[in-house]
Amino acid sequence: KKQCPKCKVTQTYDEVSKRKSRCSSCGVAYRNKTNWNQVRDEFFKRNTGSRAISRNGGDTTESKNKTATRKWHNVGKGFLRRMEDKARDKADNTINQKRRISRAGAQKTKPVNKPHSVM
């Protein structure tokens, strides 16, 4: 929703759905309540250091105002192990799902007993 810059009336849902871009009271075009210039400084203040690459090539993470740099040789083996475990779990799940589907299909295709015709 947007707001009229002159009379500060908020755009109604009906006006949004009918794509009316001008205020019904004074005829001025609606504008967004906030713009990038109003939120830019706070945005950068919150996001600096949260996930950035440090100058020495490590991954920098922020935890309770303490920044720790981790090198690849410290985290690489664990990372690769987690990725291999994830790939193995995914492959196992795919195989199990295919087995369940084939079992369900086999159960549906059982022969049906036909009644004998009377002579």
Side-chain angles (χ1 to χ4, degrees), residues 46-54 58-63 67-68 70 79 82:
R46 279 196 322 249
N47 289 313
T48 53
S50 62
R51 291 297 265 169
I53 301 299
S54 68
D59 178 27
T60 305
T61 58
E62 184 179 319
S63 61
T67 303
R70 297 178 293 169
F79 172 77
R82 289 190 305 274

Side-chain angles (χ1 to χ4, degrees), residues 19-20 23 62 65 71 77 98 106-107 116:
R19 299 182 186 261
K20 292 187 177 182
C23 177
E62 184 179 319
N65 299 327
K71 296 283 189 174
K77 290 179 183 177
K98 287 181 180 179
Q107 290 175 354
H116 298 291

Side-chain angles (χ1 to χ4, degrees), residues 29-91:
Y30 286 114
R31 292 186 185 162
N32 290 325
K33 291 180 183 180
T34 58
N35 61 28
W36 176 244
N37 293 331
Q38 293 172 326
V39 296
R40 177 184 53 216
D41 294 335
E42 186 63 30
F43 174 81
F44 285 123
K45 191 185 308 180
R46 279 196 322 249
N47 289 313
T48 53
S50 62
R51 291 297 265 169
I53 301 299
S54 68
R55 293 174 193 254
N56 58 4
D59 178 27
T60 305
T61 58
E62 184 179 319
S63 61
K64 295 188 179 182
N65 299 327
K66 294 181 180 178
T67 303
T69 301
R70 297 178 293 169
K71 296 283 189 174
W72 176 252
H73 65 272
N74 294 336
V75 297
K77 290 179 183 177
F79 172 77
L80 294 174
R81 186 186 73 248
R82 289 190 305 274
M83 292 297 105
E84 289 170 355
D85 291 345
K86 183 81 171 170
R88 186 172 36 258
D89 290 345
K90 187 174 181 179

